[in-house]
Each structure stands twice: as C-alpha cells, then as structure tokens.
Amino acid sequence: MAKFIPYPEILDLRRLTKEVHRFRPETGKVNFTGTVKVHGTNITVVFWNDGSPPQIQSRNRVITPESAATDNSGAAAFLTPWLGRLRGEVERDLGKQYAAWKEIMIAGEYAGRGIQKGVGVSELERFYVIFGLRLDGQWMPPS
C-alpha cells in the first residue's frame, strides 16, 4: 500500500476573515469559493496511474473494508464497489489533456444515516460528496 497523504486543513469562516484582514488590510476583500458543510466524515480516495491499487483514507489514516474497527462508519466498505466507476468518471471529466496523470486524490465527505447524530443528513441514506480533486499534487479549481 502506498504512503498516507494527509488532507490539508480547511479554514472556517472566522479564521478566513482573520487571514483576509491580515493579508489585505487595505480593503478586507478577497475572491474565494466556499462550499456547503456536509456533516459526516472526511474520506479521500487516491488513485495512482502505475497499477497500484486505489487507497481509501480518513483524515488521519488509510482505511480498508477489512479494518472495520477503524473504518469511519463503513466508508471503505461503502466506496470499494464504486472505485472503478469513480476513477473512470474522473478520467473522463479530466479529458485527454490529463491522460498522463500520475496521482489523483479525490476528497469528499461520507455522510448519511448513522454517521453523525443530530444533523439533517443523518436521516438520509449514506452517500459520498466530492468537494476537492488534486491532480499530481495540484488542487484543481472547484469547477
């Protein structure tokens, strides 16, 4: 199995505001893209274009369907059957210009029934929402 790749820290609005005022004190303005917070658990899938098997990881460690005790509410078991399709869809969306990629890191949130209590999405069937894509070490624009 390949090396664990940590997901970078995400700034919340309060800290973002402080950073903007620190680096742009003259206007306090900056352009950025925000996302909706889905209350679940952070799960990242990493694919390599060298024949290595895909890797599923939480924010802190690699997880597998066999590691049920540390599998973040069954995220690896949930995602494993979808990995081929997920890779195919990402490769299709990237197109021919990115055909020679080495590593794709798909960051998302696994949420739904039984994952986090007391939030609206806890009544939904379990699902995975992608919120970030890193290609060969570079984060892609949200679009």
Side-chain angles (χ1 to χ4, degrees), residues 58-110:
S58 70
R59 203 178 255 291
N60 303 310
R61 64 188 171 283
V62 173
I63 58 175
T64 67
E66 296 77 33
S67 60
T70 59
D71 180 11
N72 282 42
S73 301
F78 178 85
L79 285 171
T80 295
W82 297 96
L83 293 178
R85 183 173 177 189
L86 181 61
R87 178 178 173 159
E89 290 288 323
V90 169
E91 286 179 316
R92 182 182 58 78
D93 286 349
L94 289 172
K96 292 180 182 176
Q97 65 190 17
Y98 295 108
W101 61 271
K102 293 180 179 96
E103 170 240 300
I104 295 174
M105 184 172 167
I106 301 170
E109 193 81 357
Y110 175 58

Side-chain angles (χ1 to χ4, degrees), residues 33-39 109 121 129 131:
T33 301
T35 60
V36 175
K37 168 67 174 132
V38 177
H39 294 280
E109 193 81 357
V121 296
V129 178
F131 58 74

Side-chain angles (χ1 to χ4, degrees), residues 7 21 29 46 52 67 71-72 80 87 93 111 114 126 139:
Y7 184 77
H21 287 292
K29 294 181 181 180
V46 184
S52 298
S67 60
D71 180 11
N72 282 42
T80 295
R87 178 178 173 159
D93 286 349
R126 291 182 175 193
W139 287 100

Side-chain angles (χ1 to χ4, degrees), residues 3 6 15 40 54-55 63 70 75 77 98 108 114 117 124:
K3 182 180 166 192
R15 288 189 329 188
Q55 178 170 288
I63 58 175
T70 59
Y98 295 108
K117 296 177 183 175
L124 300 174

